[in-house]
Amino acid sequence: MPTIADNRSNWDDPGNWLRHGEEWSSSWGTTAGMWLGTILPRLGAVLPTDHLLEIAFGHGRVTERLLPQCRRYTGVDLAPSCVAHCRDRFAAVRHAAFHGNDGATLPMVADASVDLAFSWDSLVHAEAEAVLGYVAELGRVLQPGGSAFLHHSNLRAFVVDGVLTVPNAHWRATSVDAALLREHAPAHGLAVVAQELVQWGAADTNDCFTLLRRLRPGEPAPSPRTWRHPDFGAEMALARTLGGLYRGDGAP
């Protein structure tokens, strides 16, 4: 499925950004509904923060909400046009810096300098080569006690004898699932704190949210908490309805 080169080519194409990513928030009504109804409740325990790293920011639809939540922001993306767009869009934000990268490493980020790393609706298209590259880098760049929230594919869980047994309607990676991160995180000083399996426009749990933490010296690794969301689509619809009813930014 999607290679790093495929992702660079796809997301560097201006034709895929006609609405700057807002179309991918439509299940919540708006990006505001997505942020308030789904992202912020999951990040509430780790926000606000000092240095926030966002991986694969695209055209900045979530970045806009993250910037007020940190004292320093670093964004990385493999698509040059996305980097250029966000540098222009957020030019007045003095505590933000946007960088291009190779889709798997973070050479522009110093060791033990990040309090919170975040990626949303992007690494779902990244295969194991890229995701495990970022996991290794997070073990380097996170401060001891720092956290990472990664939204990634879970389709490897449905591959049997090399064949995907469920539909893949959303260009998800097939070599990544929740278990892959549990298998590889400890080698980089990271612990899986929680994982949530969700149905992103699908009947099956095609996606996963993983919360990682870099362990402090001598800190024992916690037992991972895992939850299968009973109906993620209903969560999206509730945010859409409430937005339309109370904020007027979506149809009830």
Side-chain angles (χ1 to χ4, degrees):
M1 290 303 291
T3 65
I4 290 175
D6 290 336
N7 274 292
R8 181 180 292 106
S9 175
N10 189 69
W11 304 118
D12 203 36
D13 181 355
N16 288 322
W17 295 103
L18 298 180
R19 292 185 56 203
H20 303 295
E22 293 297 319
E23 60 270 42
W24 300 312
S25 302
S26 61
S27 294
W28 291 266
T30 63
T31 295
M34 181 181 73
W35 171 256
L36 293 170
T38 290
I39 300 176
L40 188 57
R42 289 168 170 84
L43 292 185
V46 290
L47 287 177
T49 192
D50 187 12
H51 184 193
L52 191 151
L53 166 69
E54 185 180 12
I55 298 171
F57 48 76
H59 275 206
R61 85 189 206 271
V62 179
T63 309
E64 181 180 5
R65 276 83 188 173
L66 294 172
L67 289 172
Q69 299 285 340
C70 60
R71 295 178 60 189
R72 177 185 173 197
Y73 170 95
T74 300
V76 296
D77 200 291
L78 83 169
S81 64
C82 291
V83 177
H85 177 87
C86 283
R87 283 177 175 170
D88 181 65
R89 177 177 177 179
F90 302 112
V93 182
R94 298 184 66 179
H95 69 283
F98 298 90
H99 304 274
N101 79 332
D102 61 3
T105 64
L106 303 166
M108 69 293 295
V109 184
D111 294 0
S113 66
V114 173
D115 298 281
L116 174 63
F118 175 83
S119 187
W120 180 261
D121 204 9
S122 298
L123 293 184
V124 289
H125 309 298
E127 296 288 352
E129 175 189 9
V131 171
L132 295 181
Y134 282 130
V135 168
E137 285 284 72
L138 289 171
R140 177 182 66 83
V141 305
L142 284 175
Q143 293 193 33
S147 299
F149 181 98
L150 304 180
H151 172 199
H152 57 87
S153 177
N154 190 51
L155 281 189
R156 190 183 79 146
F158 300 97
V159 173
V160 178
D161 296 329
V163 177
L164 182 63
T165 59
V166 299
N168 185 1
H170 301 285
W171 206 50
R172 273 18 186 182
T174 58
S175 60
V176 179
D177 66 353
L180 185 76
L181 273 75
R182 294 196 303 272
E183 293 163 7
H184 289 269
H188 305 288
L190 300 171
V192 173
V193 176
Q195 291 187 300
E196 181 182 356
L197 307 177
V198 300
Q199 314 86 359
W200 191 287
D204 306 288
T205 51
N206 55 333
D207 284 9
C208 179
F209 306 144
T210 293
L211 180 66
L212 299 165
R213 186 171 75 244
R214 183 179 176 190
L215 297 174
R216 296 181 174 90
E219 180 184 1
S223 297
R225 302 187 298 272
T226 303
W227 184 55
R228 184 188 188 280
H229 200 303
D231 192 342
F232 190 62
E235 177 182 315
M236 297 175 178
L238 177 61
R240 183 172 67 247
T241 299
L242 292 176
L245 182 64
Y246 291 104
R247 297 191 304 273
D249 61 6

